[in-house]
Amino acid sequence: MSIGNRIKGAAEELGGKAKEAFGNLTDDERLRREGIEDQGRGQGRQDVAKADEQVEGFGEQVKGRVKGAVGALTGDESTEASGKLDDLKGSIRRKLNE
């Protein structure tokens, strides 16, 4: 879902840049302002999507660390490895959305 919002945001931002440029070209102040507003909305949508991914990544990390600790305490190597994988996935998700 977040990737879809990031794509929509990028498209809205790009459309806003085009609208602003066309407004500048034609001396249409209303169109120029709308383009700037669209860019802001698009960037905002992207920022919210990144924040959602950060939260989701943090949750994966916590889940992975707990699962890894349980696996280590019980001697269950499979659970411990699965926990490490979840922790790593969360870390990567957060890094990609900085």
Side-chain angles (χ1 to χ4, degrees):
M1 169 115 110
S2 286
I3 191 72
N5 283 335
R6 286 183 72 176
I7 291 169
K8 286 177 186 175
E12 189 170 17
E13 185 177 4
L14 183 61
K17 286 180 182 186
K19 192 183 282 188
E20 179 187 11
F22 193 70
N24 285 334
L25 187 65
T26 60
D27 287 328
D28 186 336
E29 184 61 26
R30 181 189 58 79
L31 193 59
R32 189 186 74 74
R33 273 195 318 271
E34 285 178 11
I36 292 170
E37 290 170 5
D38 290 350
Q39 289 175 62
R41 243 188 330 275
Q43 185 59 53
R45 184 186 301 263
Q46 292 176 75
D47 290 345
V48 168
K50 283 182 180 183
D52 287 347
E53 288 291 321
Q54 282 280 331
V55 169
E56 193 168 328
F58 181 74
E60 283 178 332
Q61 282 185 291
V62 169
K63 174 185 153 194
R65 289 178 185 175
V66 169
K67 189 190 288 186
V70 168
L73 286 173
T74 61
D76 184 346
E77 292 177 0
S78 176
T79 299
E80 185 176 3
S82 177
K84 287 181 181 180
L85 180 61
D86 287 343
D87 184 13
L88 182 60
K89 283 177 15 186
S91 177
I92 291 169
R93 182 184 303 268
R94 291 181 71 199
K95 200 67 154 164
L96 289 173
N97 290 285
E98 288 182 336

